Amino acid sequence: MSVTSNSTPVAVRTPARGPAIGTALIAAVLLLLAVAAPFVLYPVFLMKVLCFALFACAFNLLIGFAGLLSFGHAAFFGGAAYIAAHTVKVWGWAPEFGLIAATAVAGLMGLVFGLIAIRRQGIYFAMITLALSQMVFFLALQLPFTHGEDGIQGVPRGTLFGLFDLGQPLTMYYTVLAIFVAGFALIWRTVHSPFGQVLKAIRENEPRAISLGYRTDRYKLVAFVLSASLAGLAGGTKALVFQLASLTDVTWQMSGEVVLMTLLGGMGTLFGPVVGAGLVVTLESYLASTSLPVPVVIGCIFVVCVLVFRRGIVGELMHWLKIRAK
């Protein structure tokens, strides 16, 4: 479209609606499949996939769109799991309030971690987050309310809003699905907002973003807190699903696992972490019943994917579709 100003035609670029419509259609189809999935597959397995998919999406918001590699996201995931489990089981809170408390505590931890780590970049940033995460692991091992290596077991799922009995598998599944959709929608809106565009600019060239007048540390800190809060929401939800909060959720291996999920699916893509989480959880569940060493097999698959799919599974697919469209 063109607009005439002082007899001079000025081109006005209208936003392309094709990609947005395509993304919306894909999301709608995936949502319909997710609604029907518990009638075909085991609901607990699906809930585990959704929890880790939200965790991976939260991590991808930080590394894929802000360019910050954190090795300490297990602190938010596992720490929030302990908070949700303790508030629901010991204090008798309703599950929705337990999840709110878990998310808030994870966000507060993200603020503290971010204020310390944002001052550094690259490998130094990653090592600081790892060190802080290990401190949280030590606290989880020593504090009385976490019960050490036993963890918090037998967490009641309770009744959501006093109406929905989460003890029913289908009710719990659709609750987890609603939480995942809400978290994914928040990430999608963040990425496509002016704030998200600034994050991408910081990822691509931070000195240039600074020269344009953006206070990049503030943007990175907000992204870090948002990512930590969503990771905490995923951890709290997982604690309710499995009725357990344990040291496994707060170890450095969990931080490595979410990195693996994100890279396998496609860093910097919206659906990549979901695919990566589904692939890793499926492999772990399938290989657990075999005599094969699970970490070795998953590691080999990761190496192959890195060599063959450098952009991740979804990233390579999107790149191929763009080439075909040209």
Side-chain angles (χ1 to χ4, degrees), residues 55 59 62 68-79 106 109-110 113 117 125-137 224 227-228 231 249-256 258-259:
F55 184 26
F59 177 76
L62 191 64
L68 298 174
L69 173 60
S70 169
F71 283 146
H73 257 51
F76 314 126
F77 184 78
M109 290 172 59
F113 279 33
F125 174 88
M127 289 299 101
I128 290 174
T129 58
L130 177 60
L132 292 172
S133 177
Q134 287 301 100
M135 292 174 60
V136 174
F137 172 80
F224 196 96
S227 177
D249 297 330
V250 78
T251 57
W252 65 267
Q253 289 92 338
M254 183 61 71
S255 294
V258 74
V259 174

Side-chain angles (χ1 to χ4, degrees), residues 60 63-65 191 200 203 262 266-273 318:
N60 182 55
I63 186 175
F65 296 98
V191 169
K200 294 176 185 177
R203 177 195 63 190
T262 305
M267 184 179 68
T269 64
L270 287 173
F271 293 106
M318 292 176 61

Side-chain angles (χ1 to χ4, degrees), residues 175-313:
T175 300
V176 175
L177 178 60
I179 291 172
F180 169 77
V181 171
F184 185 86
L186 178 59
I187 293 172
W188 185 91
R189 184 68 188 91
T190 301
V191 169
H192 291 87
S193 67
F195 173 80
Q197 300 304 312
V198 175
L199 285 183
K200 294 176 185 177
I202 295 172
R203 177 195 63 190
E204 297 297 330
N205 194 325
E206 185 173 355
R208 179 173 294 180
I210 294 175
S211 68
L212 292 174
Y214 293 108
R215 298 185 177 181
T216 56
D217 284 351
R218 292 188 179 182
Y219 283 91
K220 291 191 291 185
L221 179 60
V222 173
F224 196 96
V225 173
L226 180 58
S227 177
S229 300
L230 290 172
L233 178 60
T237 304
K238 180 178 178 289
L240 291 182
V241 169
F242 292 95
Q243 300 179 279
L244 170 70
S246 66
L247 287 175
T248 305
D249 297 330
V250 78
T251 57
W252 65 267
Q253 289 92 338
M254 183 61 71
S255 294
E257 192 167 333
V258 74
V259 174
L260 174 64
M261 293 174 181
T262 305
L263 294 180
L264 278 179
M267 184 179 68
T269 64
L270 287 173
F271 293 106
V274 181
V275 174
L279 178 61
V280 171
V281 173
T282 301
L283 286 172
E284 289 178 345
S285 299
Y286 176 77
L287 295 174
S289 59
T290 67
S291 59
L292 295 173
V294 178
V296 174
V297 175
I298 293 180
C300 292
I301 294 175
F302 174 68
V303 171
V304 172
C305 287
V306 168
L307 293 175
V308 179
F309 306 108
R310 292 189 159 227
R311 301 176 182 86
I313 297 173

